[in-house]
Amino acid sequence: MSAELRPGEEPGRVLVVDDETALAKVVANYLTREGFTVRLAHDGPSAVRSVRDFEPALIVLDLMLPGFDGLEVCRRIRTFSDAYVLMLSARGDESDKVTGLAAGADDYVVKPFGPRELVARVKALLRRPRASSLLPKVLPTPPGLDIDVLSRTVRVDDTLVDLTPTEFTLLSALASRPDAAWSRAEIITSVWGSSWFGDQHIVDVHVRALRRKLGDDATDPRFIRTVRGVGYSLRSS
């Protein structure tokens, strides 16, 4: 299944980071054929340098890298870049996915994967609507939580919380209809777009990462509550 760019939409810059040189070249070739401008990096330090120099719109990032791993790359680049991060890993455990997303990744693909699937995921991320562009400047939020749509910042009890673009869009979407029960399908359409494909379980993984950053307890939620059999809701009070 393919996610095509809209007419007139320009493909962006993509940084592919993987110490498996052959695999990185295959991925780069597929992306180049689709019109993307691609650069390669093969270790943690060079990945961070390339993000600064190349300023990619999206980074395809392997978890296991020499120098330092993909998690550390995520942590470092999130201090100066809001590029989308599509993380690659041979480990498919949910705990690994949560750790990757909490470090700053926006999506997660388990090896082995088909290059065409990866290209489609890249396109889906880059086409994803920015929900906050359609939101009012002030969103109704529960006490202690502040969402600034214009600056795309979030504070909990006046302390700045470092969210990824995906996490901010997810939280903003929930805040646009406080107390409403959002199904996973509705969240995916609002956050990832109608062209997104894959397991709806990605919503649960992102909510876990978001709760962790907000200091929210799923068993006694201050902000995001689970609606059994449906999905999630952001409290208004």
Side-chain angles (χ1 to χ4, degrees):
M1 185 174 180
S2 172
E4 297 299 328
L5 295 172
R6 296 183 182 91
E9 185 176 3
E10 293 294 329
R13 296 180 181 182
V14 178
L15 175 66
V16 178
V17 185
D18 200 312
D19 62 337
E20 296 182 50
T21 306
L23 176 60
K25 287 182 178 178
V26 169
V27 172
N29 286 339
Y30 271 85
L31 289 168
T32 300
R33 290 174 197 166
E34 295 295 327
F36 292 97
T37 302
V38 183
R39 181 180 290 188
L40 299 178
H42 304 293
D43 58 61
S46 65
V48 175
R49 288 195 299 270
S50 293
V51 175
R52 288 189 181 277
D53 298 339
F54 187 51
E55 297 183 348
L58 184 143
I59 305 161
V60 178
L61 178 64
D62 189 37
L63 180 60
M64 302 303 295
L65 294 170
F68 45 79
D69 65 16
L71 295 178
E72 183 61 24
V73 172
C74 265
R75 294 187 186 103
R76 295 193 185 195
I77 67 172
R78 280 298 175 229
T79 64
F80 63 88
S81 172
D82 65 351
Y84 291 115
V85 175
L86 179 59
M87 186 165 282
L88 309 178
S89 176
R91 302 186 307 212
D93 292 343
E94 183 171 316
S95 60
D96 293 322
K97 294 180 182 180
V98 170
T99 301
L101 296 173
D106 296 285
D107 200 356
Y108 199 105
V109 176
V110 178
K111 294 181 177 180
F113 56 83
R116 293 182 185 277
E117 175 194 352
L118 186 68
V119 171
R121 293 249 186 170
V122 167
K123 288 184 178 182
L125 272 176
L126 291 175
R127 288 186 58 193
R128 201 178 65 194
R130 292 290 193 182
S132 59
S133 65
L134 304 175
L135 295 173
K137 295 180 182 179
V138 179
L139 291 171
T141 54
L145 177 65
D146 292 298
I147 302 173
D148 189 318
V149 176
L150 293 180
S151 66
R152 293 183 65 84
T153 56
V154 172
R155 293 180 183 273
V156 174
D157 298 328
D158 293 326
T159 299
L160 189 65
V161 179
D162 186 19
L163 300 185
T164 68
T166 297
E167 290 163 351
F168 182 86
T169 304
L170 171 55
L171 184 62
S172 297
L174 293 177
S176 69
R177 287 193 289 146
D179 292 324
W182 288 70
S183 70
R184 289 169 179 81
E186 288 176 316
I187 292 173
I188 284 175
T189 298
S190 180
V191 176
W192 283 269
S194 58
S195 62
W196 188 89
F197 67 96
D199 190 347
Q200 290 188 356
H201 186 56
I202 191 174
V203 173
D204 304 315
V205 177
H206 274 281
V207 168
R208 284 188 179 90
L210 183 56
R211 278 172 166 162
R212 177 180 171 183
K213 291 186 177 182
L214 297 177
D216 206 11
D217 185 352
T219 60
D220 185 19
R222 181 181 178 189
F223 304 127
I224 303 173
R225 67 184 184 91
T226 301
V227 182
R228 290 188 178 276
V230 180
Y232 300 97
S233 174
L234 185 74
R235 302 173 65 118
S236 63
S237 60

